Amino acid sequence: MPVKFLNRILKIKQHQAPLDKGVLEGVYLMECKGLKKKELLFNDGTPSILLMPHQDDKVSISINAQVKEFHSAWVSFGELHNTYMEIPPNLDYLVVIRFKEYAFFELFGMSPEAFANKPIFNLHDFVNHSVVDEILKSYALEDPQERVRFLTTYLSGIELKDSYPKLLKDIVDIIGKQDKPLSVSDLSTIFKLPINEKWIQRSFKKYIGIS
């Protein structure tokens, strides 16, 4: 997402209680006033879906100087390098859906490896069509605030099996609440138990897809 949006979302999160259940981190309505014609995209490691105002909208994104066109809804995850979004004229807003890292891949039936060399997907490429269809239903609502409420209600109600190590989930939650990087030693102190650095590296790669 545009770096400006990420900064706004991080400020909003400071004043919101985290969602304890479901797959959702949050749904955000981002007004596009003040954006340049070309905006740098960045991902902080949180899987995100970005929705344009209308289902027939398209957007051009430049990835390492190669311009690609995406549909009205696209997914971003993993590291983005030299990636820019061409802001369409008269773009009023984007809806940003951010998911809990350890729930995202199970929800959509995908492996983190799918994003290794392709950090941006069209939402239509996903295989869990029931979830995709429900997300796309939000386009029937003209009021963007109603879209946010619809998506929040639906996605926050989805609960998955606890297929990820509880310690990994707790570590991700702790990292997400911090405003500075944590070392393995810091985590060991917080959890009051020895944490193996190699285990953390393997678990993050296997379950979340990032180091």
Side-chain angles (χ1 to χ4, degrees), residues 2 15 51 56 83 104 117 127 141 161 206:
H15 305 286
L51 302 170
D56 57 353
T83 302
F104 178 75
N117 299 310
V127 295
L141 303 171
K161 298 177 181 178
K206 178 179 179 180

Side-chain angles (χ1 to χ4, degrees), residues 149-175:
R149 287 192 289 269
F150 170 83
L151 291 166
T152 301
T153 300
Y154 168 64
L155 293 168
S156 61
I158 298 176
E159 293 190 47
L160 302 174
K161 298 177 181 178
D162 292 330
S163 58
Y164 297 92
K166 183 180 184 305
L167 178 58
L168 177 64
K169 293 173 68 174
D170 292 342
I171 287 174
V172 172
D173 287 340
I174 287 292
I175 291 174

Side-chain angles (χ1 to χ4, degrees), residues 71-91:
H71 293 298
S72 54
W74 74 97
V75 185
S76 173
F77 178 72
E79 296 182 16
L80 297 177
H81 300 287
N82 194 25
T83 302
Y84 294 85
M85 175 183 173
E86 301 281 352
I87 305 299
N90 303 318
L91 178 65

